[in-house]
Amino acid sequence: MRRLRTTTEDGPVVRVEPASFRDPSGRVFYRDGQVFRGLSPVAAQDWRALAATKFFANAVKAGKITATEEAEKTDEWDVVLRHERIPFVSYPFEWSFAMLRDAALLHLDLLQAALAEGLTSKDGSAYNLQWRGASPVFIDVGSFEPARPGEPWAGYRQFCQTMLYPLMLQAHLGLDFQPWLRASVDGVEPARMRKLFGGARRFKAGVLKHVHLHDAVQSRNARSSTGEVRAELRDAGFSAELVKATVRAIDKLVRGLDWQPPASHWTAYQQTCTYSDADRAAKVEFVEAVLSKKSSLTLDLGANDGTYSRLAAKHSDYVVAVESDAAVVDKLYRDLHNEGERRVLPIVMDLADPSPGIGWRGRERASFEQRADADTVLALAVIHHLAIGRNVPLPEIVDWLAALGRRVVVEFVEPADPMAQRLLANKPEGLFPDYRRDVFEKLLGERFTVEHRAELPSGTRTLYCGVRRAG
């Protein structure tokens, strides 16, 4: 694999995408705010085969594959492609069940269309997909290549580990898959799944074939060379039609997997929270007024049912709605998807334990803070949950908000507020002597120039809008 220059004598700085090192035939890089992919001679041939197909043109037109065109050639690569840029990069361990399932179904839909025109995909990773709001989009154009007679789908193992198995965990066992995917960038291994699906569980949909048989075949093939395995498959009559039938069967299996989010405190938050009608109306009025200035990217931290994310979308090119409750995010995603919303992306994330950098050297998949470069950050009714509920120091919360965006719209809930009282009831008395409005205002003023301030009618909640100070 050739090494990209990071600077040129008279050209712009080139930044290499840390996650693209796994494919030696190409590399993704950024220049002038644009996304490029350099291709080796072999990868260039695969690209031209892909570009000549009807399914590729149709998929790009339908928004299922990221828009791609050939760019000016460089000394490092035989062909350079320019890709449409995704507004915000998210990862599978930040998606809800319905999001991962829709991403998996898009992957299978594109694979079936590719197989019909003599191509296949050499990868099956969930990381090959991203989102435009509530619509999945396939981004790894370099994944497609001409199918080889007598060979199975090369991406099957990745697909199982990063998409099918996580879906099975949640659909069959009711286990949230996000911690499993966050723990390993390569997903869930068949051997681990096999331990979870013993006894009668092995007869659940897809488990016997795609878990137990897969693990057994993988263990047997580990003792054989790649050439021996391919020869065995050819001798067994492994045909292109068998590959197509296998993919169709997986597609049917994925469509049949479902998970209905259970009721939780947060799914009914709008009905159980302590806001009065007057508070709610004043809060909406304040937020709408301060958001009148157009933003490119807005983060809504603690988005719950997306009320303020939708409001922010009226004044933003793109909104990322961050919520810790997977059931709430799943419902929000399904609603946004049904609405055809392409400007609001919901993601699952515990704000007291935000996504870290993972993978090779902790850089292969960037942390949430590294990915967040927002114009506006909404932190409404979330500060007290971090400070009281999770013992995060107020100074660090304010510093974190400043690291996420240039402007902040934040709500401070005083200790006397009923919601704060609920949180304090579970804590030793006197544990948070500095959790006071005057302390918060001082900290906020040190990092932001506060331009707007409003106290809600209840008298226990105050809203602020501030712009980050330089330096």
Side-chain angles (χ1 to χ4, degrees), residues 103-397:
L105 290 173
L106 175 59
H107 196 295
L108 293 170
D109 176 59
L110 294 173
L111 176 58
Q112 291 180 82
L115 289 170
E117 295 195 53
L119 270 69
T120 186
S121 66
K122 58 188 176 185
D123 304 312
S125 173
Y127 290 94
N128 288 347
L129 295 112
Q130 284 296 324
W131 297 86
R132 293 193 196 93
S135 296
V137 55
F138 192 88
I139 62 169
D140 190 10
V141 170
S143 177
F144 294 101
E145 64 179 4
R148 298 181 182 87
E151 293 192 9
W153 174 31
Y156 171 69
R157 177 180 176 179
Q158 278 189 329
F159 183 87
C160 286
Q161 293 187 182
T162 63
M163 289 195 264
L164 181 58
Y165 291 168
L167 291 171
M168 284 181 167
L169 286 173
Q170 193 134 21
H172 292 331
L173 303 182
L175 296 175
D176 288 339
F177 65 80
Q178 292 86 2
W180 296 75
L181 289 182
R182 175 169 155 169
S184 173
V185 73
D186 291 323
V188 188
E189 292 282 347
R192 181 171 293 184
M193 285 288 290
R194 192 171 184 172
K195 293 178 181 178
L196 292 170
F197 285 90
R201 288 177 175 178
R202 73 178 61 200
F203 300 110
K204 290 183 178 292
V207 172
L208 200 58
K209 180 177 182 180
H210 298 289
V211 175
H212 287 267
L213 181 59
H214 184 184
D215 183 47
V217 171
Q218 185 170 291
S219 298
R220 180 176 64 84
N221 289 343
R223 297 187 293 270
S224 304
S225 68
T226 302
E228 289 173 334
V229 173
R230 288 176 174 171
E232 287 181 14
L233 291 171
R234 285 194 297 270
D235 293 342
F238 204 99
S239 64
E241 290 306 313
L242 183 55
V243 174
K244 294 176 183 177
T246 299
V247 175
R248 286 196 299 270
I250 297 173
D251 183 273
K252 182 179 180 181
L253 171 61
V254 172
R255 290 182 188 278
L257 295 174
D258 197 13
W259 173 72
Q260 292 302 318
S264 71
H265 169 74
W266 298 111
T267 55
Y269 180 71
Q270 292 300 330
Q271 290 73 45
T272 61
C273 67
T274 57
Y275 284 105
S276 66
D277 290 341
D279 274 6
R280 199 185 308 274
K283 183 174 177 178
V284 169
E285 182 181 1
F286 179 89
V287 173
E288 188 139 38
V290 298
L291 289 181
S292 59
K293 184 179 179 181
K294 187 75 172 180
S295 292
S296 176
L297 175 65
T298 295
L299 302 179
D300 184 7
L301 306 180
N304 196 256
D305 67 354
T307 295
Y308 292 96
S309 296
R310 286 184 168 90
L311 195 156
K314 298 177 182 179
H315 310 284
S316 305
D317 293 332
Y318 206 70
V319 179
V320 179
V322 186
E323 170 59 46
S324 63
D325 192 306
V328 173
V329 174
D330 202 69
K331 184 180 185 307
L332 176 58
Y333 166 74
R334 294 179 195 233
D335 291 343
L336 293 170
H337 184 75
N338 291 336
E339 296 164 14
E341 179 59 70
R342 294 167 68 90
R343 293 172 302 158
V344 180
L345 169 67
I347 62 174
V348 180
M349 190 184 303
D350 181 353
L351 293 174
D353 183 21
S355 300
I358 66 170
W360 172 239
R361 299 181 71 187
R363 302 174 188 170
E364 188 176 347
R365 307 297 172 185
S367 71
F368 176 65
E369 187 171 320
Q370 289 171 322
R371 286 174 280 147
D373 184 22
D375 294 310
T376 302
V377 177
L378 301 182
L380 304 169
V382 72
I383 301 299
H384 57 300
H385 289 290
L386 291 173
I388 301 175
R390 305 298 288 276
N391 292 35
V392 181
L394 270 181
E396 293 197 25
I397 295 174

Side-chain angles (χ1 to χ4, degrees), residues 428-459:
E429 187 175 351
L431 186 62
F432 303 104
D434 293 330
Y435 183 79
R436 305 192 313 269
R437 185 169 69 176
D438 62 317
V439 173
F440 177 74
E441 288 184 347
K442 180 178 182 297
L443 292 169
L444 191 68
E446 290 171 354
R447 299 305 307 271
F448 296 87
T449 299
V450 178
E451 297 181 332
H452 304 280
R453 178 184 179 280
E455 189 173 305
L456 296 184
S458 65

